[in-house]
Amino acid sequence: MPITITSIKAKLDGKIGESLTITSRLGRKKSKTRHGVLRETFPSVFIIELNHDENAVERVSYSYTDILTKNIELNFG
């Protein structure tokens, strides 16, 4: 079953307010892991509020295509 941007958005709409771990690919064998909470979803992006203790920035936004192309991985819980 092919994954679409619409199905990714629908799944994230049901997870607003839940804590998650974001693993971002930075390039050749490099990745960065952050912890936060999914705050808002919009038609083309979603907002994650990061833990203040671990990160210099408070909020980050990602596109649904980042999940589709596997540039980021979200793990809820």
Side-chain angles (χ1 to χ4, degrees), residues 2-72:
I3 297 174
T4 63
I5 292 176
T6 307
S7 66
I8 294 170
K9 183 181 182 325
K11 287 180 184 179
L12 290 180
D13 284 341
K15 303 247 184 207
I16 292 176
E18 292 188 25
S19 62
L20 54 85
T21 303
I22 310 142
T23 305
S24 304
R25 283 193 193 173
L26 300 176
R28 187 178 173 136
K29 298 183 184 180
K30 295 180 184 177
S31 63
K32 185 171 187 172
T33 302
R34 298 176 171 182
H35 302 280
V37 176
L38 179 63
R39 286 294 170 205
E40 295 180 73
T41 59
F42 294 100
S44 59
V45 297
F46 57 96
I47 308 290
I48 297 175
E49 188 173 306
L50 300 174
N51 291 348
H52 299 287
D53 300 336
E54 301 174 357
N55 303 292
V57 294
E58 294 180 13
R59 300 175 99 193
V60 291
S61 65
Y62 293 103
S63 169
Y64 300 110
T65 57
D66 291 329
I67 297 173
L68 188 64
T69 59
K70 299 187 181 183
N71 288 332
I72 65 167

